[in-house]
Amino acid sequence: MKQHYFKVIIITISILLLLTSCGRTSYQYNNLTSGEDIKEFIDIMVSAEVPDKDIEAVLEYIETYSDSEYSENAIINGWQQTTKDYQELYDYTDAINAYTSKEFEDINCRQAAFIIYHSFFCASEPENQNLQRESLELPEFLNEELYNYEILFSRIPMGETVADTVLNFWRDNGAVFEKASVHLVSIWGNSDGEVLNYHAGIMIEEEAGIVFFEKTDPIMPFQLSRFASLDELKAHLLSRDGIDGTPIIFLDDTLI
């Protein structure tokens, strides 16, 4: 009887442990704040055949960020491991205070993704270009491609569904996503009758899984993350703060 009781306890504990761990995404992330980390980022981009000019352009922002006061005092370098779907990296109030006390040049997630991805994307150039501030803040060498940025990330009046709205807009504007080793990952949702982009990053396939490059948030770290599967990356993205409703995610122009 005692032996049977002991077995029941062991099985119960095992089930509880399984339930509490179920759904957790264990992944590695790197905040790209040290020379060694940045070199690894360069090697990954080069192996994925990202043009040198584009790597150099985004590196200017990464290196500027890594030298910032907030990064030096509050952001851990090197590869870290987490079992959370989405790892909080900072105290937002502290970060805002540090940023405003000594401002530095920065870009957001879409701008960082576009600098890396623009060579793998093209669209039809419109007769009248309505350029937003985000487009105009991109590096000067991208001036001839700003309409591509607008087509990729514009706010769009809501159609039947979020996915159809985005796909139809891309299709109507002749968007072509090159089938390459570099992929654009983008999160979309509906707010006040408009479909808008919540976040974007770059995915590159590796032998052991996938690596994801993102600007985690405005004035926050550039980051590499490694995931075992696309499903784990999706869980990471859907766990982000500040995303309302039920967002959808595209890998290039494929819904995932």
Side-chain angles (χ1 to χ4, degrees):
M1 179 66 71
K2 287 184 179 180
Q3 188 176 15
H4 175 73
Y5 182 69
F6 181 73
K7 285 182 179 180
V8 170
I9 292 175
I10 294 297
I11 292 171
T12 303
I13 292 173
S14 299
I15 292 172
L16 287 173
L17 288 172
L18 180 63
L19 289 173
T20 55
S21 63
C22 183
R24 285 185 180 176
T25 302
S26 177
Y27 71 96
Q28 293 181 311
Y29 65 93
N30 189 313
N31 294 318
L32 297 178
T33 56
S34 73
E36 183 179 351
D37 298 334
I38 291 172
K39 183 182 182 304
E40 183 173 2
F41 166 79
I42 295 171
D43 291 342
I44 290 170
M45 294 297 127
V46 169
S47 68
E49 300 183 349
V50 175
D52 290 346
K53 189 173 185 178
D54 301 334
I55 298 173
E56 292 167 4
V58 83
L59 273 178
E60 289 187 23
Y61 295 101
I62 293 173
E63 290 171 347
T64 298
Y65 184 87
S66 67
D67 291 335
S68 71
E69 181 180 343
Y70 182 74
S71 175
E72 290 179 349
N73 294 335
I75 303 297
I76 300 172
N77 61 19
W79 284 97
Q80 309 295 317
Q81 184 82 24
T82 179
T83 57
K84 298 179 181 178
D85 286 338
Y86 182 73
Q87 179 66 32
E88 290 292 350
L89 300 173
Y90 52 84
D91 181 287
Y92 202 81
T93 301
D94 290 346
I96 289 287
N97 291 339
Y99 179 79
T100 54
S101 67
K102 187 178 181 182
E103 192 168 330
F104 55 91
E105 189 173 7
D106 201 14
I107 51 177
N108 66 25
C109 61
R110 287 175 291 277
Q111 292 165 324
F114 186 76
I115 292 172
I116 294 295
Y117 189 71
H118 76 97
S119 297
F120 305 94
F121 175 82
C122 65
S124 302
E125 185 171 0
E127 292 183 7
N128 299 311
Q129 296 189 29
N130 182 24
L131 300 178
Q132 306 300 311
R133 180 178 175 180
E134 274 191 18
S135 301
L136 297 172
E137 291 173 341
L138 287 164
E140 189 175 342
F141 78 93
L142 293 171
N143 281 353
E144 299 301 317
E145 300 179 52
L146 299 186
Y147 67 91
N148 281 333
Y149 185 89
E150 295 289 343
I151 290 168
L152 271 177
F153 299 122
S154 281
R155 288 173 175 257
I156 315 165
M158 179 67 182
E160 186 173 343
T161 68
V162 172
D164 287 342
T165 300
V166 177
L167 287 172
N168 289 337
F169 181 78
W170 284 342
R171 190 178 301 116
D172 292 345
N173 285 279
V176 177
F177 296 77
E178 185 177 322
K179 302 306 178 184
S181 57
V182 179
H183 302 278
L184 177 71
V185 178
S186 55
I187 310 177
W188 297 82
N190 175 24
S191 179
D192 297 327
E194 285 187 314
V195 174
L196 65 154
N197 178 267
Y198 285 126
H199 189 59
I202 298 297
M203 191 194 88
I204 295 172
E205 297 175 67
E206 295 185 320
E207 287 186 11
I210 54 180
V211 62
F212 184 64
F213 168 68
E214 62 183 323
K215 181 69 163 69
T216 53
D217 240 335
I219 78 166
M220 293 302 122
F222 294 87
Q223 188 181 92
L224 280 180
S225 301
R226 281 196 163 97
F227 299 91
S229 68
L230 190 59
D231 285 341
E232 291 188 2
L233 171 60
K234 184 176 179 180
H236 163 75
L237 294 173
L238 292 178
S239 298
R240 288 178 56 85
D241 288 336
I243 296 181
D244 300 324
T246 305
I248 62 168
I249 301 177
F250 283 104
L251 179 67
D252 300 328
D253 57 348
T254 301
L255 188 65
I256 60 173

